[in-house]
Amino acid sequence: MTARIGVVTFPGSLDDRDTQRAIRVSGAEPVALWHKDKDLKQVDAVVLCGGFSYGDYLRAGAIARFSPVMDTVIDQAKAGLPVLGICNGFQILTEAHLLPGGMLGNDHLHFICRDQKLRVENADTSWTSDYSAGQEINIPLKNMDGRYVADQRTLDELEAEGRVAFRYLDVNPNGSLNDIAGISNAAGNVVGLMPHPEHAVEPLIGTGRTDGLPFFTSILKKLVNA
């Protein structure tokens, strides 16, 4: 049976089609989900894609967090549903308190778009098991509000519990504390990151490499072997 992975589209989403394609390339079936619907169509996992949901008014992800679909996503994520938040999706996950901390504007106050080197810190989550801890990868990055912040207690907990999933290497592109590029929840089923793995699944696009593909093969293998 083919694994079905839902991709939520909010007003202002930019990368829903790219994410669906990445899922298809990995061998799973992408399922389009609309922000006004509470029904997740019995998907096996959910991706909150990148973009500027609701124009990033108030704060990035702050309005999308109250979309009807998020009530169901929050409930099912707490029950173990795998959820990946990419860029704006990561921002939404923090606003929904599925992940701790928050996102502020880049410290240089400019939109950034570049290929970004990362180090995989945690290869034990639902979305990272096809990587190896310590592996260095290159993933496209594009954001205006990508600076991850949290109080010191939260940072200490993330570090102590191994919940920093990815860390920026060579350069910190947005001022994120502890060079954090992505984190997970305690259970490892919810992961958020600012870079865009869906833009690095085929050699003809993005970085010209396929460093982002293991996100989608990781969840596929978890679902198939569950």
Side-chain angles (χ1 to χ4, degrees):
M1 184 175 179
T2 303
R4 303 173 74 247
I5 303 177
V7 179
V8 180
T9 298
F10 299 92
S13 293
L14 300 178
D15 299 304
D16 43 354
R17 297 290 182 88
D18 303 67
T19 305
Q20 290 174 27
R21 179 173 178 82
I23 291 168
R24 192 175 295 111
V25 168
S26 75
E29 176 189 351
V31 178
L33 301 174
W34 184 237
H35 71 110
K36 287 188 176 181
D37 298 329
K38 289 191 173 184
D39 180 11
L40 298 185
K41 301 181 182 179
Q42 298 182 316
V43 296
D44 302 300
V46 167
V47 180
L48 305 179
C49 66
F52 301 89
S53 59
Y54 295 92
D56 277 351
Y57 290 112
L58 300 183
R59 286 185 310 276
I63 299 177
R65 176 262 176 271
F66 293 102
S67 290
V69 71
M70 287 304 299
D71 291 336
T72 310
V73 169
I74 291 169
D75 288 344
Q76 293 199 21
K78 291 179 178 178
L81 179 75
V83 178
L84 175 65
I86 302 171
C87 195
N88 191 232
F90 185 13
Q91 296 160 343
I92 294 169
L93 290 176
T94 62
E95 291 288 338
H97 303 298
L98 286 174
L99 292 175
M103 313 302 291
L104 296 179
N106 298 339
D107 59 353
H108 45 71
L109 303 181
H110 295 287
F111 180 85
I112 188 169
C113 182
R114 55 169 289 151
D115 293 342
Q116 178 64 48
K117 191 174 183 179
L118 307 175
R119 182 173 63 238
V120 179
E121 302 283 19
N122 184 344
D124 295 323
T125 78
S126 297
W127 299 91
T128 60
S129 61
D130 254 6
Y131 291 109
S132 300
Q135 182 177 350
E136 296 182 3
I137 60 176
N138 282 277
I139 302 289
L141 175 75
K142 52 178 186 176
N143 62 71
M144 181 67 189
D145 299 294
R147 177 160 51 115
Y148 179 77
V149 296
D151 59 43
Q152 193 60 51
R153 179 178 178 181
T154 298
L155 290 172
D156 290 344
E157 287 179 354
L158 290 172
E159 297 287 1
E161 296 173 7
R163 291 168 53 194
V164 175
F166 299 90
R167 216 180 294 270
Y168 296 117
L169 285 184
D170 295 343
V171 62
N172 184 326
N174 45 36
S176 291
L177 297 179
N178 291 23
D179 297 328
I180 289 174
I183 61 174
S184 76
N185 67 344
N189 64 302
V190 179
V191 171
L193 79 161
M194 287 309 297
H196 287 259
E198 77 279 13
H199 295 328
V201 298
E202 297 175 290
L204 290 179
I205 60 173
T207 60
R209 299 165 52 155
T210 58
D211 290 4
L213 188 58
F215 276 90
F216 306 100
T217 56
S218 293
I219 189 60
L220 178 59
K221 288 180 180 178
K222 176 179 176 57
L223 295 172
V224 169
N225 295 327

